[in-house]
Amino acid sequence: MAKKKKEYECQECGYRTAKWVGCCPDCETWNTFVEVEKENKKETKSSRTREEVYAKPVNSISNENFERLKTKISEFDRVVGGGLTKGSLSLLGGEPGVGKSTLLLEICGNLAKNNPHGKILYISGEESESQIAERAKRLKVNCENLYILHETLWQNILEVIKKEKPIFLVLDSIQTTVSAEIMSASGTVSQIREVTYELMNHAKAMGITCFIIGHVTKEGGISGPKVLEHMVDSVLYFEGDQNNYYRLLRVHKNRFGNTFEVGIFEMTETGLNEVVNPSLYFLEKSFEGAYGRSITTILEGTRTIFVEVQALVTENKYGNGRRTTQGIDNNRLAMLVAIVEKYFEIPLSFHDIYLNVVGGIKLDKRDSDLSIIASILSSYYSKPLDETTIFLGEVGLTGEVRKVSMLESRLKEMDLLKYKRLVTSKHITEEIEKKYNLEVLKIEKVTDLKKVFVKYQPNKQNEYQQSEKVN
Ligand code: TYD
Ligand code: MG
């Protein structure tokens, strides 16, 4: 028997070589080559031949194909731009256990309920039929027109698709599906590329709306070649922390809508619930007189969400204080601590600082700088901050407070939720200020934060005894 020929394939971009190499000559990533069997697909000529084609004026093209399939899960429909476009192919990525299968099974259930005359097909190569049925029972997804298939071979899946002619299908996951045409193992670049290509061609021809689930790599991207993300119409990521119940659905690419919206869900015992009104979802009432906490707002898509930043500053006699953070980058805290040390003249190297963003939210934008500093000062001076005050502003290295983006939409939400005061940069127009029923304390330098603390009776060590009066 002739020996099977081997070659090596980059798992990042699909580049093939006859010999193993450490660094891919094409995409320059390291240690991505695995041994695969040589592809001996016969060279075939393209089936297309030359024909007459014409370009059309843009206004003459109707967009009747843009019909949307609504899931009636409003958070989901909003994120994908008002429902799934019929015949589109989408990709959902996320960490293991975050709830990808749960979300798509719920979507299947809703679509099945709303489209009683169409079939919905859930194909899983990861879980057995009884496991999925058990989960469906828990999620109360029990429509007659929802079909389950446990299969990993693409050719068998295709036969079922042709037979059942579903209107919507889910493939869970692309990494477990293999094509008999390709000799390499499941999850390799060539398998992923082949199965996606096949699915895309058949689904588009039959007008089936499809969702594929993709595993993520250590770095957080969807594993497999980038070409996978190029091929599909939309790419969504489901994010969340194992220790928290909330989940965020983000769009990274959308050919039929914007990529700005974020959907917020909560994982419960009976599946995912949408958080339709998330503004105050991450806040809890604290006891009176609690210090080391302040409230800021972040933007998730077009939504304004209020989050609490907690700091604990304790003395460390030996210097070289420890910094422990949750929800913000350690380097960013180091920078903000340096700003406090310099401009407030506080020796924070003799203090340990613990910083936590409540609810597992990540503060990756600079507009929460002012709130982080306010929390640190509040803990250092053991002075509580008013619960109805919002801190919003980026702090520069020279101690200046900078303006934040989309201030007006944040102000609107603060006003709506009866917050009383906003501490922010001086770059806020009087016109906007007057529009809302909020007291705005405009500060130019970070040291002006002292004005906020003056309101409280200083204790014996308080250095604010001589500080200026509130203007
Ligand atoms: P799953 O959808 O299997 O995650 P993925 O497909 O992304 O790997 O979700 C798994 C987790 O969700 C599991 O740890 C348990 C939790 N879960 C609930 O808390 N409630 C539920 O109703 C379901 C179905 C799952
Ligand atoms: Mg799963």
Short mmCIF file of all heavy atoms in Angstrom, two decimals, residues 198-261:
data_model
loop_
_atom_site.label_atom_id
_atom_site.label_comp_id
_atom_site.label_asym_id
_atom_site.label_seq_id
_atom_site.Cartn_x
_atom_site.Cartn_y
_atom_site.Cartn_z
N GLU A 198 -19.03 24.72 2.58
CA GLU A 198 -20.13 23.85 2.13
C GLU A 198 -21.46 24.34 2.70
O GLU A 198 -22.45 24.46 1.99
CB GLU A 198 -19.88 22.42 2.63
CG GLU A 198 -18.86 21.67 1.80
CD GLU A 198 -19.51 21.08 0.56
OE1 GLU A 198 -20.47 20.34 0.72
OE2 GLU A 198 -19.03 21.40 -0.55
N LEU A 199 -21.46 24.61 4.02
CA LEU A 199 -22.69 25.06 4.68
C LEU A 199 -23.18 26.36 4.06
O LEU A 199 -24.36 26.54 3.77
CB LEU A 199 -22.45 25.23 6.19
CG LEU A 199 -23.62 25.77 7.01
CD1 LEU A 199 -24.76 24.77 7.03
CD2 LEU A 199 -23.22 26.07 8.44
N MET A 200 -22.23 27.26 3.82
CA MET A 200 -22.58 28.57 3.27
C MET A 200 -23.23 28.40 1.89
O MET A 200 -24.28 28.96 1.63
CB MET A 200 -21.32 29.42 3.16
CG MET A 200 -21.58 30.85 2.79
SD MET A 200 -20.06 31.79 2.83
CE MET A 200 -19.25 31.18 1.39
N ASN A 201 -22.62 27.57 1.05
CA ASN A 201 -23.16 27.38 -0.30
C ASN A 201 -24.54 26.76 -0.29
O ASN A 201 -25.46 27.24 -0.95
CB ASN A 201 -22.21 26.50 -1.12
CG ASN A 201 -21.06 27.32 -1.63
OD1 ASN A 201 -21.10 28.55 -1.57
ND2 ASN A 201 -20.02 26.67 -2.10
N HIS A 202 -24.70 25.69 0.50
CA HIS A 202 -25.99 25.00 0.50
C HIS A 202 -27.07 25.83 1.17
O HIS A 202 -28.19 25.90 0.68
CB HIS A 202 -25.87 23.63 1.17
CG HIS A 202 -25.16 22.64 0.30
ND1 HIS A 202 -23.83 22.34 0.46
CD2 HIS A 202 -25.57 21.94 -0.77
CE1 HIS A 202 -23.46 21.47 -0.47
NE2 HIS A 202 -24.51 21.21 -1.23
N ALA A 203 -26.71 26.45 2.31
CA ALA A 203 -27.72 27.22 3.04
C ALA A 203 -28.18 28.42 2.22
O ALA A 203 -29.37 28.72 2.16
CB ALA A 203 -27.16 27.67 4.38
N LYS A 204 -27.24 29.08 1.56
CA LYS A 204 -27.62 30.27 0.77
C LYS A 204 -28.51 29.82 -0.39
O LYS A 204 -29.49 30.49 -0.73
CB LYS A 204 -26.39 31.00 0.25
CG LYS A 204 -25.61 31.67 1.38
CD LYS A 204 -25.48 33.16 1.25
CE LYS A 204 -25.33 33.76 2.63
NZ LYS A 204 -24.31 34.67 2.90
N ALA A 205 -28.18 28.69 -1.01
CA ALA A 205 -28.98 28.21 -2.13
C ALA A 205 -30.38 27.84 -1.68
O ALA A 205 -31.35 28.06 -2.41
CB ALA A 205 -28.29 27.00 -2.77
N MET A 206 -30.50 27.29 -0.46
CA MET A 206 -31.83 26.87 0.02
C MET A 206 -32.53 27.96 0.82
O MET A 206 -33.65 27.75 1.29
CB MET A 206 -31.68 25.61 0.88
CG MET A 206 -31.30 24.38 0.08
SD MET A 206 -31.38 22.90 1.10
CE MET A 206 -29.70 22.59 1.43
N GLY A 207 -31.86 29.07 1.04
CA GLY A 207 -32.46 30.18 1.80
C GLY A 207 -32.62 29.90 3.28
O GLY A 207 -33.54 30.38 3.94
N ILE A 208 -31.71 29.10 3.84
CA ILE A 208 -31.81 28.76 5.28
C ILE A 208 -30.98 29.75 6.09
O ILE A 208 -29.84 30.05 5.74
CB ILE A 208 -31.27 27.33 5.54
CG1 ILE A 208 -31.95 26.32 4.61
CG2 ILE A 208 -31.45 26.94 6.99
CD1 ILE A 208 -31.33 24.94 4.65
N THR A 209 -31.54 30.24 7.17
CA THR A 209 -30.79 31.11 8.08
C THR A 209 -29.98 30.19 9.00
O THR A 209 -30.54 29.27 9.58
CB THR A 209 -31.76 31.97 8.91
OG1 THR A 209 -32.70 32.54 8.01
CG2 THR A 209 -31.05 33.04 9.68
N CYS A 210 -28.68 30.44 9.12
CA CYS A 210 -27.83 29.51 9.88
C CYS A 210 -27.04 30.22 10.96
O CYS A 210 -26.65 31.37 10.81
CB CYS A 210 -26.79 28.85 8.98
SG CYS A 210 -27.46 27.92 7.68
N PHE A 211 -26.78 29.47 12.02
CA PHE A 211 -25.91 29.93 13.09
C PHE A 211 -24.89 28.86 13.35
O PHE A 211 -25.25 27.70 13.49
CB PHE A 211 -26.73 30.17 14.36
CG PHE A 211 -26.61 31.58 14.84
CD1 PHE A 211 -27.62 32.50 14.60
CD2 PHE A 211 -25.48 31.99 15.52
CE1 PHE A 211 -27.50 33.81 15.03
CE2 PHE A 211 -25.36 33.30 15.94
CZ PHE A 211 -26.37 34.21 15.70
N ILE A 212 -23.60 29.21 13.38
CA ILE A 212 -22.63 28.21 13.79
C ILE A 212 -21.96 28.66 15.08
O ILE A 212 -21.75 29.84 15.31
CB ILE A 212 -21.58 27.88 12.69
CG1 ILE A 212 -20.98 29.13 12.06
CG2 ILE A 212 -22.14 26.99 11.63
CD1 ILE A 212 -20.07 28.84 10.89
N ILE A 213 -21.67 27.68 15.93
CA ILE A 213 -21.01 27.99 17.20
C ILE A 213 -19.53 27.68 17.01
O ILE A 213 -19.17 26.66 16.42
CB ILE A 213 -21.62 27.14 18.34
CG1 ILE A 213 -23.08 27.56 18.57
CG2 ILE A 213 -20.79 27.26 19.61
CD1 ILE A 213 -23.78 26.87 19.71
N GLY A 214 -18.68 28.59 17.48
CA GLY A 214 -17.24 28.40 17.35
C GLY A 214 -16.56 28.45 18.70
O GLY A 214 -16.94 29.23 19.56
N HIS A 215 -15.57 27.58 18.89
CA HIS A 215 -14.79 27.62 20.14
C HIS A 215 -13.85 28.82 20.08
O HIS A 215 -13.52 29.30 19.00
CB HIS A 215 -13.95 26.36 20.27
CG HIS A 215 -14.77 25.13 20.45
ND1 HIS A 215 -14.25 23.88 20.37
CD2 HIS A 215 -16.09 24.98 20.69
CE1 HIS A 215 -15.21 22.99 20.56
NE2 HIS A 215 -16.33 23.62 20.75
N VAL A 216 -13.39 29.26 21.25
CA VAL A 216 -12.41 30.34 21.23
C VAL A 216 -11.03 29.84 21.65
O VAL A 216 -10.91 28.84 22.35
CB VAL A 216 -12.82 31.55 22.12
CG1 VAL A 216 -14.02 32.26 21.56
CG2 VAL A 216 -13.04 31.13 23.55
N THR A 217 -10.02 30.54 21.20
CA THR A 217 -8.65 30.18 21.55
C THR A 217 -8.28 30.79 22.90
O THR A 217 -9.05 31.55 23.47
CB THR A 217 -7.66 30.75 20.50
OG1 THR A 217 -7.87 32.17 20.48
CG2 THR A 217 -7.91 30.19 19.13
N LYS A 218 -7.05 30.46 23.37
CA LYS A 218 -6.59 31.01 24.65
C LYS A 218 -6.62 32.53 24.65
O LYS A 218 -6.89 33.16 25.64
CB LYS A 218 -5.15 30.56 24.91
CG LYS A 218 -5.02 29.18 25.48
CD LYS A 218 -3.71 29.02 26.21
CE LYS A 218 -2.49 29.09 25.34
NZ LYS A 218 -2.26 28.02 24.42
N GLU A 219 -6.36 33.10 23.48
CA GLU A 219 -6.30 34.57 23.37
C GLU A 219 -7.70 35.19 23.30
O GLU A 219 -7.84 36.40 23.37
CB GLU A 219 -5.52 35.00 22.14
CG GLU A 219 -4.03 34.76 22.22
CD GLU A 219 -3.65 33.31 21.97
OE1 GLU A 219 -4.38 32.65 21.23
OE2 GLU A 219 -2.65 32.86 22.55
N GLY A 220 -8.73 34.36 23.16
CA GLY A 220 -10.09 34.89 23.15
C GLY A 220 -10.71 35.03 21.78
O GLY A 220 -11.89 35.32 21.65
N GLY A 221 -9.93 34.81 20.70
CA GLY A 221 -10.51 34.88 19.35
C GLY A 221 -11.15 33.55 18.99
O GLY A 221 -10.93 32.54 19.66
N ILE A 222 -11.96 33.54 17.93
CA ILE A 222 -12.57 32.29 17.52
C ILE A 222 -11.51 31.42 16.87
O ILE A 222 -10.77 31.88 16.00
CB ILE A 222 -13.74 32.54 16.56
CG1 ILE A 222 -14.86 33.24 17.32
CG2 ILE A 222 -14.26 31.25 15.94
CD1 ILE A 222 -16.04 33.65 16.50
N SER A 223 -11.40 30.14 17.34
CA SER A 223 -10.32 29.32 16.80
C SER A 223 -10.63 28.95 15.36
O SER A 223 -11.77 28.82 14.95
CB SER A 223 -10.04 28.10 17.65
OG SER A 223 -11.16 27.41 17.95
N GLY A 224 -9.56 28.80 14.63
CA GLY A 224 -9.73 28.54 13.20
C GLY A 224 -9.21 29.72 12.44
O GLY A 224 -8.79 30.72 13.02
N PRO A 225 -9.24 29.62 11.14
CA PRO A 225 -8.63 30.68 10.35
C PRO A 225 -9.48 31.95 10.36
O PRO A 225 -10.69 31.89 10.54
CB PRO A 225 -8.62 30.08 8.95
CG PRO A 225 -9.73 29.10 8.96
CD PRO A 225 -9.87 28.60 10.35
N LYS A 226 -8.83 33.06 10.14
CA LYS A 226 -9.54 34.34 10.07
C LYS A 226 -10.55 34.31 8.93
O LYS A 226 -11.59 34.97 8.98
CB LYS A 226 -8.54 35.48 9.82
CG LYS A 226 -8.16 36.23 11.06
CD LYS A 226 -9.14 37.36 11.38
CE LYS A 226 -8.92 38.01 12.71
NZ LYS A 226 -9.64 37.47 13.82
N VAL A 227 -10.24 33.47 7.93
CA VAL A 227 -11.10 33.40 6.76
C VAL A 227 -12.53 32.99 7.17
O VAL A 227 -13.50 33.37 6.53
CB VAL A 227 -10.49 32.45 5.70
CG1 VAL A 227 -10.48 31.01 6.13
CG2 VAL A 227 -11.20 32.58 4.39
N LEU A 228 -12.64 32.26 8.27
CA LEU A 228 -13.96 31.86 8.78
C LEU A 228 -14.80 33.10 9.10
O LEU A 228 -15.97 33.20 8.75
CB LEU A 228 -13.78 31.00 10.04
CG LEU A 228 -14.99 30.51 10.79
CD1 LEU A 228 -15.81 29.58 9.93
CD2 LEU A 228 -14.58 29.78 12.06
N GLU A 229 -14.15 34.07 9.78
CA GLU A 229 -14.85 35.31 10.12
C GLU A 229 -15.16 36.13 8.88
O GLU A 229 -16.13 36.86 8.84
CB GLU A 229 -14.05 36.12 11.13
CG GLU A 229 -13.96 35.42 12.47
CD GLU A 229 -13.30 36.22 13.56
OE1 GLU A 229 -13.46 37.44 13.59
OE2 GLU A 229 -12.59 35.60 14.38
N HIS A 230 -14.30 35.99 7.85
CA HIS A 230 -14.55 36.73 6.61
C HIS A 230 -15.73 36.14 5.85
O HIS A 230 -16.48 36.86 5.21
CB HIS A 230 -13.32 36.70 5.71
CG HIS A 230 -12.20 37.56 6.22
ND1 HIS A 230 -12.37 38.91 6.40
CD2 HIS A 230 -10.95 37.26 6.59
CE1 HIS A 230 -11.23 39.40 6.87
NE2 HIS A 230 -10.36 38.42 7.01
N MET A 231 -15.88 34.82 5.93
CA MET A 231 -16.91 34.15 5.15
C MET A 231 -18.33 34.43 5.65
O MET A 231 -19.25 34.55 4.86
CB MET A 231 -16.68 32.63 5.19
CG MET A 231 -15.67 32.15 4.19
SD MET A 231 -14.98 30.61 4.76
CE MET A 231 -15.89 29.45 3.84
N VAL A 232 -18.50 34.50 6.97
CA VAL A 232 -19.85 34.62 7.52
C VAL A 232 -20.36 36.06 7.45
O VAL A 232 -19.59 36.99 7.27
CB VAL A 232 -19.90 34.11 8.99
CG1 VAL A 232 -19.55 32.65 9.07
CG2 VAL A 232 -19.01 34.94 9.87
N ASP A 233 -21.69 36.22 7.61
CA ASP A 233 -22.28 37.56 7.53
C ASP A 233 -22.15 38.32 8.83
O ASP A 233 -22.04 39.54 8.84
CB ASP A 233 -23.77 37.45 7.17
CG ASP A 233 -23.95 36.85 5.79
OD1 ASP A 233 -23.26 37.30 4.87
OD2 ASP A 233 -24.77 35.93 5.64
N SER A 234 -22.24 37.60 9.96
CA SER A 234 -22.03 38.31 11.23
C SER A 234 -21.27 37.44 12.22
O SER A 234 -21.37 36.21 12.18
CB SER A 234 -23.35 38.79 11.84
OG SER A 234 -24.39 38.00 11.47
N VAL A 235 -20.53 38.11 13.07
CA VAL A 235 -19.76 37.43 14.10
C VAL A 235 -20.19 38.00 15.44
O VAL A 235 -20.12 39.21 15.67
CB VAL A 235 -18.24 37.63 13.90
CG1 VAL A 235 -17.46 36.92 14.99
CG2 VAL A 235 -17.79 37.15 12.54
N LEU A 236 -20.65 37.12 16.33
CA LEU A 236 -21.09 37.58 17.65
C LEU A 236 -20.25 36.87 18.71
O LEU A 236 -19.83 35.73 18.51
CB LEU A 236 -22.55 37.22 17.88
CG LEU A 236 -23.54 37.97 17.01
CD1 LEU A 236 -24.07 37.06 15.94
CD2 LEU A 236 -24.68 38.48 17.83
N TYR A 237 -20.02 37.55 19.81
CA TYR A 237 -19.30 36.94 20.93
C TYR A 237 -20.20 36.97 22.15
O TYR A 237 -20.87 37.98 22.42
CB TYR A 237 -18.02 37.72 21.25
CG TYR A 237 -16.86 37.33 20.39
CD1 TYR A 237 -16.66 37.94 19.16
CD2 TYR A 237 -15.96 36.36 20.79
CE1 TYR A 237 -15.60 37.59 18.35
CE2 TYR A 237 -14.89 36.01 19.99
CZ TYR A 237 -14.70 36.62 18.77
OH TYR A 237 -13.65 36.28 17.98
N PHE A 238 -20.20 35.86 22.87
CA PHE A 238 -20.97 35.80 24.11
C PHE A 238 -19.95 35.84 25.23
O PHE A 238 -19.07 34.99 25.31
CB PHE A 238 -21.77 34.49 24.13
CG PHE A 238 -23.01 34.57 24.94
CD1 PHE A 238 -23.75 35.74 25.02
CD2 PHE A 238 -23.49 33.45 25.62
CE1 PHE A 238 -24.91 35.81 25.76
CE2 PHE A 238 -24.65 33.51 26.36
CZ PHE A 238 -25.37 34.69 26.43
N GLU A 239 -20.03 36.86 26.06
CA GLU A 239 -19.01 37.06 27.09
C GLU A 239 -19.63 36.98 28.47
O GLU A 239 -20.79 37.31 28.65
CB GLU A 239 -18.39 38.46 26.97
CG GLU A 239 -17.66 38.68 25.69
CD GLU A 239 -17.25 40.13 25.53
OE1 GLU A 239 -17.48 40.93 26.44
OE2 GLU A 239 -16.71 40.43 24.46
N GLY A 240 -18.82 36.62 29.42
CA GLY A 240 -19.32 36.60 30.80
C GLY A 240 -18.29 35.98 31.69
O GLY A 240 -17.34 35.37 31.24
N ASP A 241 -18.50 36.13 32.96
CA ASP A 241 -17.58 35.65 33.96
C ASP A 241 -18.21 34.41 34.59
O ASP A 241 -19.38 34.43 34.91
CB ASP A 241 -17.43 36.79 35.00
CG ASP A 241 -16.25 36.58 35.88
OD1 ASP A 241 -15.94 35.41 36.13
OD2 ASP A 241 -15.66 37.57 36.32
N GLN A 242 -17.42 33.36 34.76
CA GLN A 242 -17.97 32.13 35.37
C GLN A 242 -18.57 32.40 36.76
O GLN A 242 -19.50 31.74 37.17
CB GLN A 242 -16.85 31.08 35.52
CG GLN A 242 -16.33 30.54 34.21
CD GLN A 242 -17.28 29.53 33.58
OE1 GLN A 242 -18.22 29.09 34.21
NE2 GLN A 242 -17.06 29.18 32.32
N ASN A 243 -18.01 33.41 37.46
CA ASN A 243 -18.47 33.67 38.82
C ASN A 243 -19.68 34.58 38.87
O ASN A 243 -20.23 34.83 39.93
CB ASN A 243 -17.35 34.32 39.64
CG ASN A 243 -16.10 33.49 39.58
OD1 ASN A 243 -16.19 32.27 39.62
ND2 ASN A 243 -14.96 34.13 39.43
N ASN A 244 -20.06 35.13 37.73
CA ASN A 244 -21.20 36.04 37.72
C ASN A 244 -22.29 35.50 36.82
O ASN A 244 -22.05 34.66 35.98
CB ASN A 244 -20.76 37.42 37.24
CG ASN A 244 -20.02 38.14 38.33
OD1 ASN A 244 -20.59 38.47 39.36
ND2 ASN A 244 -18.73 38.34 38.12
N TYR A 245 -23.47 36.05 37.01
CA TYR A 245 -24.60 35.52 36.26
C TYR A 245 -24.86 36.27 34.97
O TYR A 245 -25.56 35.79 34.12
CB TYR A 245 -25.86 35.55 37.14
CG TYR A 245 -25.68 34.72 38.37
CD1 TYR A 245 -25.62 35.28 39.63
CD2 TYR A 245 -25.54 33.34 38.25
CE1 TYR A 245 -25.43 34.51 40.76
CE2 TYR A 245 -25.34 32.55 39.35
CZ TYR A 245 -25.28 33.14 40.62
OH TYR A 245 -25.08 32.37 41.70
N TYR A 246 -24.34 37.49 34.86
CA TYR A 246 -24.70 38.24 33.67
C TYR A 246 -23.81 37.85 32.48
O TYR A 246 -22.68 37.42 32.64
CB TYR A 246 -24.62 39.75 33.95
CG TYR A 246 -23.24 40.31 33.84
CD1 TYR A 246 -22.78 40.80 32.63
CD2 TYR A 246 -22.38 40.31 34.92
CE1 TYR A 246 -21.49 41.27 32.51
CE2 TYR A 246 -21.10 40.78 34.81
CZ TYR A 246 -20.66 41.25 33.60
OH TYR A 246 -19.38 41.70 33.48
N ARG A 247 -24.39 37.98 31.30
CA ARG A 247 -23.68 37.66 30.06
C ARG A 247 -23.90 38.80 29.07
O ARG A 247 -24.98 39.36 29.01
CB ARG A 247 -24.26 36.39 29.42
CG ARG A 247 -24.26 35.18 30.31
CD ARG A 247 -22.89 34.54 30.34
NE ARG A 247 -22.86 33.32 31.11
CZ ARG A 247 -22.55 33.23 32.39
NH1 ARG A 247 -22.24 34.31 33.07
NH2 ARG A 247 -22.53 32.06 32.99
N LEU A 248 -22.87 39.11 28.29
CA LEU A 248 -22.99 40.16 27.29
C LEU A 248 -22.87 39.55 25.90
O LEU A 248 -21.99 38.74 25.65
CB LEU A 248 -21.87 41.20 27.46
CG LEU A 248 -21.84 42.00 28.75
CD1 LEU A 248 -20.69 42.99 28.71
CD2 LEU A 248 -23.14 42.74 28.96
N LEU A 249 -23.77 39.95 25.03
CA LEU A 249 -23.71 39.50 23.64
C LEU A 249 -23.25 40.68 22.80
O LEU A 249 -23.93 41.69 22.71
CB LEU A 249 -25.10 39.02 23.19
CG LEU A 249 -25.18 38.45 21.78
CD1 LEU A 249 -24.43 37.13 21.67
CD2 LEU A 249 -26.63 38.24 21.36
N ARG A 250 -22.06 40.54 22.22
CA ARG A 250 -21.48 41.64 21.44
C ARG A 250 -21.37 41.25 19.97
O ARG A 250 -21.08 40.11 19.66
CB ARG A 250 -20.05 41.93 21.90
CG ARG A 250 -19.96 42.68 23.18
CD ARG A 250 -18.49 42.97 23.45
NE ARG A 250 -18.29 43.20 24.85
CZ ARG A 250 -18.53 44.36 25.44
NH1 ARG A 250 -18.96 45.38 24.74
NH2 ARG A 250 -18.34 44.49 26.73
N VAL A 251 -21.53 42.25 19.12
CA VAL A 251 -21.39 41.99 17.67
C VAL A 251 -20.03 42.52 17.23
O VAL A 251 -19.67 43.65 17.54
CB VAL A 251 -22.45 42.76 16.86
CG1 VAL A 251 -22.56 42.20 15.47
CG2 VAL A 251 -23.78 42.72 17.54
N HIS A 252 -19.25 41.68 16.57
CA HIS A 252 -17.96 42.13 16.05
C HIS A 252 -18.03 42.45 14.57
O HIS A 252 -17.23 43.21 14.06
CB HIS A 252 -16.89 41.07 16.31
CG HIS A 252 -16.37 41.15 17.70
ND1 HIS A 252 -15.05 41.25 17.99
CD2 HIS A 252 -17.01 41.18 18.88
CE1 HIS A 252 -14.89 41.33 19.29
NE2 HIS A 252 -16.07 41.28 19.86
N LYS A 253 -18.97 41.79 13.90
CA LYS A 253 -19.13 42.06 12.47
C LYS A 253 -20.60 41.85 12.17
O LYS A 253 -21.21 40.94 12.71
CB LYS A 253 -18.28 41.06 11.68
CG LYS A 253 -18.59 41.01 10.21
CD LYS A 253 -17.79 39.95 9.51
CE LYS A 253 -18.31 39.77 8.10
NZ LYS A 253 -17.55 38.79 7.34
N ASN A 254 -21.16 42.73 11.35
CA ASN A 254 -22.57 42.55 10.98
C ASN A 254 -22.78 43.17 9.61
O ASN A 254 -22.66 44.38 9.45
CB ASN A 254 -23.47 43.22 12.03
CG ASN A 254 -24.92 42.86 11.85
OD1 ASN A 254 -25.25 42.12 10.92
ND2 ASN A 254 -25.77 43.34 12.72
N ARG A 255 -23.08 42.32 8.64
CA ARG A 255 -23.31 42.84 7.29
C ARG A 255 -24.70 43.44 7.16
O ARG A 255 -25.01 44.07 6.16
CB ARG A 255 -23.14 41.73 6.26
CG ARG A 255 -21.70 41.37 6.04
CD ARG A 255 -21.56 40.45 4.84
NE ARG A 255 -20.18 40.05 4.67
CZ ARG A 255 -19.80 38.87 4.26
NH1 ARG A 255 -20.68 37.96 3.99
NH2 ARG A 255 -18.53 38.59 4.13
N PHE A 256 -25.56 43.22 8.16
CA PHE A 256 -26.94 43.69 8.05
C PHE A 256 -27.32 44.63 9.19
O PHE A 256 -28.48 44.74 9.54
CB PHE A 256 -27.90 42.50 8.03
CG PHE A 256 -27.60 41.52 6.94
CD1 PHE A 256 -26.95 40.33 7.23
CD2 PHE A 256 -27.95 41.80 5.64
CE1 PHE A 256 -26.66 39.43 6.22
CE2 PHE A 256 -27.66 40.90 4.62
CZ PHE A 256 -27.02 39.71 4.92
N GLY A 257 -26.37 45.28 9.79
CA GLY A 257 -26.71 46.20 10.88
C GLY A 257 -25.42 46.76 11.45
O GLY A 257 -24.34 46.50 10.94
N ASN A 258 -25.53 47.53 12.54
CA ASN A 258 -24.31 48.11 13.11
C ASN A 258 -23.66 47.15 14.10
O ASN A 258 -24.22 46.11 14.44
CB ASN A 258 -24.59 49.48 13.72
CG ASN A 258 -25.48 49.38 14.92
OD1 ASN A 258 -25.34 48.46 15.72
ND2 ASN A 258 -26.40 50.32 15.08
N THR A 259 -22.47 47.49 14.54
CA THR A 259 -21.77 46.61 15.48
C THR A 259 -21.64 47.29 16.83
O THR A 259 -20.71 47.06 17.57
CB THR A 259 -20.37 46.25 14.96
OG1 THR A 259 -19.71 47.48 14.66
CG2 THR A 259 -20.41 45.38 13.75
N PHE A 260 -22.58 48.16 17.12
CA PHE A 260 -22.46 49.00 18.29
C PHE A 260 -23.25 48.44 19.48
O PHE A 260 -22.89 48.65 20.64
CB PHE A 260 -22.98 50.39 17.92
CG PHE A 260 -22.55 51.45 18.87
CD1 PHE A 260 -21.21 51.65 19.12
CD2 PHE A 260 -23.48 52.21 19.53
CE1 PHE A 260 -20.81 52.62 20.01
CE2 PHE A 260 -23.08 53.19 20.43
CZ PHE A 260 -21.74 53.38 20.65
N GLU A 261 -24.31 47.72 19.19
CA GLU A 261 -25.21 47.29 20.26
C GLU A 261 -24.66 46.13 21.08
O GLU A 261 -23.90 45.31 20.59
CB GLU A 261 -26.55 46.88 19.65
CG GLU A 261 -27.40 48.05 19.18
CD GLU A 261 -27.81 48.97 20.31
OE1 GLU A 261 -27.68 48.59 21.48
OE2 GLU A 261 -28.25 50.09 20.00
#
